[in-house]
Amino acid sequence: MSVLDLVREELRCLSGYSSARSEAGTVGLMLNANESPWPQDESRPLHRYPEPQPRELRIRLAALYGVDASQLLIGRGSDEAIDLLTRACCPAGRASIAIQTPTFGMYAVAAAVQDARVIDAPLAFEREDPFDFEAVLRSIATDTRLVFVCSPNNPTGGSVPRETVLRLAAALTDRALVVVDEAYIEFADSPSLVQEVVGTPNLAVLRTLSKAHALAGARIGAVVAAPALIDVLRRIMAP
């Protein structure tokens, strides 16, 4: 089974919007797109459209995370990746996502926009490991398409062990995509799961420059996933 089987059927072959810049590349002024030939500020080329996925930035981010560039999509913060994944995998009004509260609120917002149910298996703080694997697995419904795991968790700070995440992904093979939000991974002792994407097609990992790199105003995030899924996300992404 392909990871594309977890994507909405009507999106699998969607060509997506092709902007003038994506067709022309980085060279040349595009008068056909009404780009101005006269910059307002010589130090900042705001008179020209930017690359949809800046090649140099994509290569540098892939090197930073130790993955192939084909596995990475740059987003407007990792929030955009959450929205894209939800829209790509959840048919409107006919799907659910799974979370473990308290956690980052954007998962539920993205689900609400897509009219997807939110299934909650709350963190069990009476346990040594608050992430209750069995409870999470039991909570998964037949229409669950995404399982968000925030690790380190926002706002509690706890991390989910690597082995637990991989066990969850294995249990949900061909059923749901496990999305690990690593916005705060640089502050944790545990390693990132980006290297596991190659051998785990139903695993996606979110990263960001906003936290540890102190670049919140730049709004640069990324999702690392199977190249086939990255391609779908790129095609449904706004210019």
Side-chain angles (χ1 to χ4, degrees):
M1 185 175 180
S2 167
V3 68
L4 290 180
D5 291 322
L6 299 177
V7 172
R8 288 164 50 195
E9 186 175 359
E10 65 271 23
L11 298 182
R12 295 172 194 169
C13 297
L14 180 72
S15 59
Y17 174 70
S18 181
S19 69
R21 176 59 64 206
S22 63
E23 293 175 359
T26 59
V27 180
L29 184 73
M30 298 186 301
L31 293 177
N32 61 314
N34 287 333
E35 282 190 342
S36 171
W38 302 289
Q40 301 298 312
D41 181 347
E42 293 290 349
S43 66
R44 303 176 68 194
L46 299 180
H47 62 302
R48 303 189 64 191
Y49 285 108
E51 294 179 77
Q53 290 287 299
R55 180 177 180 275
E56 185 176 353
L57 177 60
R58 195 178 184 202
I59 291 173
R60 292 290 295 274
L61 284 176
L64 175 66
Y65 300 141
V67 299
D68 189 85
S70 66
Q71 297 174 283
L72 183 142
L73 183 80
I74 305 166
R76 299 159 182 87
S78 53
D79 291 354
E80 183 174 30
I82 294 168
D83 176 65
L84 289 172
L85 287 165
T86 306
R87 288 195 286 124
C89 297
C90 296
R94 294 185 289 114
S96 65
I97 70 164
I99 61 174
Q100 310 86 46
T101 57
T103 194
F104 186 40
M106 190 61 191
Y107 314 137
V109 171
V113 170
Q114 198 62 13
D115 194 20
R117 293 187 303 117
V118 177
I119 297 172
D120 184 16
L123 295 174
F125 293 106
E126 71 278 5
R127 291 162 44 98
E128 181 178 350
D129 179 6
F131 185 91
D132 189 336
F133 174 85
E134 296 298 338
V136 171
L137 196 58
R138 287 195 304 269
S139 75
I140 306 301
T142 56
D143 67 352
T144 300
R145 295 293 174 265
L146 299 172
V147 180
F148 287 98
V149 178
C150 196
S151 181
N153 187 44
N154 174 6
T156 62
S159 295
V160 180
R162 169 185 173 277
E163 295 74 16
T164 301
V165 174
L166 294 180
R167 184 181 167 202
L168 181 64
L172 297 176
T173 299
D174 301 339
R175 292 176 55 193
L177 186 72
V178 176
V179 183
V180 183
D181 189 342
E182 293 187 342
Y184 291 91
I185 191 66
E186 289 89 351
F187 299 99
D189 294 329
S190 53
S192 170
L193 281 159
V194 289
Q195 299 296 329
E196 304 297 337
V197 167
V198 171
T200 316
N202 66 324
L203 177 69
V205 180
L206 307 179
R207 299 294 296 265
T208 182
L209 299 185
S210 295
K211 314 303 181 184
H213 296 276
L215 291 171
R219 302 301 298 138
I220 298 175
V223 54
V224 177
L229 179 57
I230 292 296
D231 185 54
V232 171
L233 301 180
R234 181 189 58 78
R235 285 186 272 121
I236 69 172
M237 188 181 201

